[in-house]
Amino acid sequence: MLDDLFARLREATAPAEIATLQDGIWQIWLSAGHPLLDKRLETGMRALSADDYTLAIQEFGFLVEAAPDYAEGWNKRATAHYLRGEYKAALRDVRETLRREPRHFGALSGWANMLRALGDAPGTLRVLLRLEALCPAWPGLQDQLRTLREELG
């Protein structure tokens, strides 16, 4: 089912269709496959929403330890590190996310944002090109690519 959603995402052009397909993919990604793990994911996401990054990192760290192949545990922990300003830890977890799910558009988008904030325009462009391969019509993506290409000459 995930492969089908990604195939449709590559072809989608309407923002509403892209959003619907992304939502379907997130529904799959947000299931850790075990009630205890799902509960820890939920607790971590609530902590993230409440800006309690320490608790979020603990909960997502539990997921990473208990289910190291579960890409979303790595991605959520990367998000918590990013929001806490810990880019090095966030980038490490993004790489782990993408090792497990190379199509993870959330991780790619976050990675591009971090590289942009760090002033790495060439790196940002490379990551956004990976995102473009997943969904060329991603809202705002073509503008970002154009801006980066102009900056880089």
Side-chain angles (χ1 to χ4, degrees), residues 48-70:
L48 204 56
S49 293
D51 300 334
D52 186 348
Y53 306 129
T54 301
L55 177 58
I57 289 167
Q58 283 178 331
E59 293 299 315
F60 302 138
F62 177 88
L63 283 173
V64 165
E65 292 295 320
D69 291 332
Y70 179 53

Side-chain angles (χ1 to χ4, degrees), residues 8-78:
R8 291 170 49 203
L9 185 61
R10 268 191 303 281
E11 303 299 320
T13 57
E17 181 184 11
I18 292 168
T20 298
L21 291 166
Q22 287 177 326
D23 288 345
I25 292 166
W26 278 115
Q27 289 297 321
I28 294 168
W29 283 345
L30 290 173
S31 174
H34 186 279
L36 172 63
L37 298 178
D38 287 337
K39 182 68 175 162
R40 299 300 284 262
L41 177 64
E42 180 184 325
T43 301
M45 289 172 54
R46 270 192 265 114
L48 204 56
S49 293
D51 300 334
D52 186 348
Y53 306 129
T54 301
L55 177 58
I57 289 167
Q58 283 178 331
E59 293 299 315
F60 302 138
F62 177 88
L63 283 173
V64 165
E65 292 295 320
D69 291 332
Y70 179 53
E72 196 55 30
W74 293 97
N75 183 59
K76 290 294 187 228
R77 191 170 76 174

